Amino acid sequence: MKNFVAHIHYAKYLMPEERLAYFCLGFLKIFYSLGANAKLLLYKFGIKKPTKVDAFVISIGNITTGGTGKTPVCVAIANYFSETKNQKTAILSRGYGGKLSNSQVNTISDGENIFFSAHMSGDEPYWLAYNSQKTAVLTCKNRIEAAKTAIKDYNSEVLILDDGFQHIKLHRDLNIMLIDGNLKFGNGKLLPQGPLREPLKEISRADVILIMNKRALDTDAIKNCEDFKIEIENKYQKRTYVCNFVPKGIFNLQTNEELTKKSKVYAFAGIGQPKFFFEYLKNQGFENVKERIFEDHHLYTKEDIKNIVVEAKKLGATSIITTEKDAVKIKALLDKNSEIGFYALKLGLDIDVETILG
């Protein structure tokens, strides 16, 4: 159902049954719009005021659903402050997909030790902790409480809100918005009829806008993102930059050996926008004998892994490839004697943090 709705959000042409669903979702959008606008108006007219804490707060977020690349941007900025600037830094995440209750503050990492597995903490908080090892990572749906804990327990001077654009309860000193440069705003409609979490006019709340390009090896995509950057910059009068995802290779999850032989592969992913992952593999010369999509933040089981291996063998795949975000959840589930190797696509980010921060 989620993939069906996502197709309605971004497809250029809809089939008859999709058009019917589109109009039904339009009715539900009325109620979503009322709630979203009411919240914004409360803060706009000062009826409610954001809570300010004793730290420099940076929000990394977007105005659409789905994966735009917030997590790696959070890591890049966190590492800049904790490693380059040597400032105590914490990332505050809501904590999706894990088994820990996010009604309380959970310390996933204190900047030195990681205390929970990906299954417990959720894939994104674990990935954040693993890739920003000098940064504390806390999860809680109440970001104000998480902020206070980070300051009190870890002396945090810089707080980074992962997916924080809509969390206006907490005052931020820098508001960074990410936009998918390939998908843009889809059909331009609010949820659930379209992918927008808020009306497009709320882009004006951003201080900096990053156009995220997931097709960095595609010259047409690069040009489209650069053109879109100029369009957004002129329309909203905001500092705007293009950030390209750069593939760094495909590596075995157990041996760390790089996969260079282009062969038949079984590809699977449980992320917000999986089609770019599948497209990349095909563009690199791999034959995707299967492209399996799991729900975003899916918690894999040993049964899932077993079924993937069985299906991969049946289809003649010589390798199984997934994303980094999925890899952190399946690594502990893998059989060392598996006949087919499991690999993950590692991505880097072409980003100049110092320029973005201004």
Side-chain angles (χ1 to χ4, degrees), residues 136-281:
V137 177
L138 291 78
T139 62
C140 185
K141 63 182 179 181
N142 187 331
R143 306 293 182 93
I144 297 170
E145 288 305 312
K148 290 178 179 177
T149 300
I151 294 167
K152 177 177 176 290
D153 293 353
Y154 306 110
N155 301 313
S156 299
E157 305 164 82
V158 179
L159 303 177
I160 299 171
L161 303 186
D162 177 29
D163 195 13
F165 195 76
Q166 284 73 41
H167 198 85
I168 54 180
K169 292 180 180 179
L170 181 60
H171 169 84
R172 66 285 317 275
D173 299 284
L174 185 65
N175 219 3
I176 301 176
M177 171 184 279
L178 278 57
I179 302 174
D180 190 314
N182 308 118
L183 295 176
K184 300 182 174 65
F185 307 117
N187 61 19
K189 303 293 183 181
L190 280 173
L191 285 168
Q193 190 179 33
L196 293 180
R197 296 175 173 183
E198 298 177 281
L200 286 177
K201 62 183 175 64
E202 295 305 320
I203 292 176
S204 62
R205 301 205 319 267
D207 299 306
V208 179
I209 297 172
L210 304 184
I211 308 299
M212 308 302 292
N213 178 27
K214 297 177 182 177
R215 296 172 173 166
L217 303 181
D218 184 333
T219 53
D220 289 336
I222 293 171
K223 184 181 184 306
N224 289 336
C225 286
E226 291 290 348
D227 291 343
F228 187 52
K229 166 196 174 292
I230 295 170
E231 177 187 333
I232 292 294
E233 203 167 33
N234 290 338
K235 185 172 183 179
Y236 295 99
Q237 300 297 303
K238 303 289 183 180
R239 289 193 295 121
T240 308
Y241 307 94
V242 174
C243 292
N244 297 300
F245 280 91
V246 183
K248 291 189 172 181
I250 299 171
F251 298 91
N252 188 290
L253 295 183
Q254 294 172 308
T255 67
N256 206 37
E257 179 184 358
E258 186 173 3
L259 179 64
T260 55
K261 183 180 178 182
K262 306 300 189 288
S263 56
K264 294 182 177 181
V265 301
Y266 183 108
F268 72 94
I271 58 176
Q273 301 290 349
K275 71 175 185 176
F276 297 109
F277 165 66
F278 298 134
E279 284 178 3
Y280 171 77
L281 295 179

Side-chain angles (χ1 to χ4, degrees), residues 43-88:
Y43 284 92
K44 182 177 180 180
F45 291 110
I47 299 170
K48 285 191 173 183
K49 294 184 179 180
T51 299
K52 188 170 177 58
V53 295
D54 189 21
F56 188 80
V57 179
I58 302 172
S59 169
I60 312 292
N62 56 8
I63 203 167
T64 59
T65 59
T68 52
K70 295 183 296 293
T71 310
V73 171
C74 281
V75 165
I77 293 176
N79 287 339
Y80 171 79
F81 281 106
S82 61
E83 296 178 4
T84 305
K85 305 294 284 185
N86 199 30
Q87 290 182 273
K88 294 284 188 180

